Amino acid sequence: MKRSLGAAGLLLGAGSACFAYGALVEPRRFHLRHAVAHCLPPGSPELRVLHISDLHLTANQRHKMDWVSSLARLQPDLVINTGDNLSAPVPHKVVETLSGLLGVPGAFVFGSNDYLAPVFRNPLRYLVASSNAHHTADEEAPPPERELPWRPMRDAFVDAGWLDLNNARGELEIKGVPIRLRGVNDPHIELDDYPAVAGRRDPEALELALCHAPYQRLLDALTDDRVDLIFSGHTHGGQVCIPGFGAIITNCDIDRDRVKGLSTHTRPGWTSLLHVSAGLGMSPFAPYRFACPPEATLLTLVPR
């Protein structure tokens, strides 16, 4: 009996330590991921792309704001933002945080938490919810107080020269490299309209695509159109991972092996590169990470 009680005590103590680490330490242990993507037209100069996602900013996250602001020192050639910047009505703080990067060419799409504040749910629901789950925009008929002031943030991004790719296309030229971009509004709440941006790639340009959540239907459509590189976020890298096993869930229908980092997506006749950011934050109602620190990624794009 004493041995059983001792083992139970050790297990309880280990669980408490893991929970404390996941709630108090890892969410502040920001990490810069590096990756090399072979996707540029032959003969192009290298391009450095900073991918940020899922900031989920609230008013009191000074440590996060300072770390993200420090990324301006990297002097990227292009900034990609795949949404969920907000978890509270603080668009001015998002703009302040990203101000050092707004002078760099950039492009963005939004996620559901740019439009609607998160609501309390049992945190365990996140760990047992179906990875295929998605939500329609009017599923809960959200009350007005849940609506977030996303328009000032969008206007600040656009005024700085960033491309709004929510169901839209855009073009850039960086270091002489022609870049064609397309994006969709958040597929997790079914705001995406891929037919509005569909079409085969320009073989003389770099083709980039943005979608907040990497649902298979969009990855298939983008790869069928022979996009070179797809950027997504939303998954939080699983947020809670098991060492040696990886993510428990993905919060969409992508497989666990591609829940974060650089991978590929293949369709008949073409393979696109896919980069999924593990993101910089999480819902204030599920404020923990384990074996999955918050991150941004600096990708070096090199010729195919």
Side-chain angles (χ1 to χ4, degrees):
M1 176 66 73
K2 289 183 179 180
R3 183 174 298 177
S4 298
L5 290 174
L10 286 174
L11 185 61
L12 180 61
S16 298
C18 288
F19 181 81
Y21 173 81
L24 301 175
V25 178
E26 186 142 321
R28 296 168 61 88
R29 194 166 63 88
F30 296 101
H31 172 69
L32 181 65
R33 181 187 293 270
H34 293 267
V36 177
H38 295 261
C39 59
L40 291 175
S44 301
E46 291 184 356
L47 298 180
R48 286 155 47 91
V49 179
L50 178 64
H51 183 192
I52 55 179
S53 193
D54 297 271
L55 191 60
H56 288 287
L57 199 64
T58 60
N60 60 348
Q61 296 177 326
R62 189 74 248 177
H63 181 70
K64 183 194 296 185
M65 292 176 64
D66 290 344
W67 189 87
V68 175
S69 294
S70 76
L71 297 175
R73 76 188 188 282
L74 300 172
Q75 298 183 316
D77 300 304
L78 176 65
V79 178
I80 298 294
N81 180 334
T82 47
D84 270 7
N85 296 277
L86 300 170
S87 277
V90 291
H92 59 292
K93 287 189 176 291
V94 173
V95 175
E96 175 190 341
T97 300
L98 299 177
S99 60
L101 294 166
L102 289 176
V104 177
F108 67 95
V109 293
F110 282 155
S112 61
N113 286 147
D114 291 304
Y115 302 118
L116 297 172
V119 295
F120 176 78
R121 292 185 175 91
N122 185 339
L124 293 177
R125 180 178 170 185
Y126 178 84
L127 300 178
V128 300
S130 167
S131 289
N132 294 322
H134 62 86
H135 311 281
T136 60
D138 59 353
E139 182 182 58
E140 298 177 354
E145 59 267 23
R146 280 196 64 200
E147 295 180 5
L148 292 171
W150 56 272
R151 291 176 181 83
M153 181 174 64
R154 177 203 59 191
D155 293 346
F157 290 172
V158 171
D159 289 347
W162 283 13
L163 299 175
D164 181 349
L165 299 180
N166 287 292
N167 297 328
R169 282 177 169 263
E171 296 183 4
L172 292 170
E173 184 173 309
I174 301 175
K175 293 184 177 179
V177 179
I179 304 175
R180 309 286 184 262
L181 303 99
R182 69 184 78 183
V184 293
N185 211 337
D186 189 7
H188 190 62
I189 52 174
E190 298 186 351
L191 295 180
D192 54 304
D193 180 10
Y194 188 71
V197 299
R200 280 295 182 98
R201 66 187 293 273
D202 178 349
E204 304 300 321
L206 171 66
E207 290 270 355
L208 303 180
L210 283 64
C211 57
H212 173 67
Y215 278 92
Q216 295 280 354
R217 68 178 189 276
L218 283 170
L219 301 183
D220 287 349
L222 290 164
T223 304
D224 285 341
D225 279 344
R226 303 196 169 192
V227 165
D228 291 303
L229 174 56
I230 305 165
F231 292 93
S232 286
H234 176 71
T235 66
H236 298 182
Q239 190 167 322
V240 175
C241 298
I242 299 174
F245 177 80
I248 300 172
I249 65 152
T250 68
N251 204 25
C252 63
D253 62 0
I254 195 172
D255 51 282
R256 293 186 306 102
D257 289 342
R258 296 185 295 165
V259 73
K260 63 182 174 183
L262 188 64
S263 63
T264 59
H265 191 77
T266 299
R267 295 281 287 173
W270 189 258
T271 294
S272 295
L273 294 176
L274 169 66
H275 185 264
V276 179
S277 173
L280 290 155
M282 54 272 174
S283 167
F285 300 112
Y288 47 79
R289 281 180 176 258
F290 192 83
C292 185
E295 68 176 39
T297 302
L298 186 66
L299 295 99
T300 301
L301 310 190
V302 300
R304 292 186 288 269

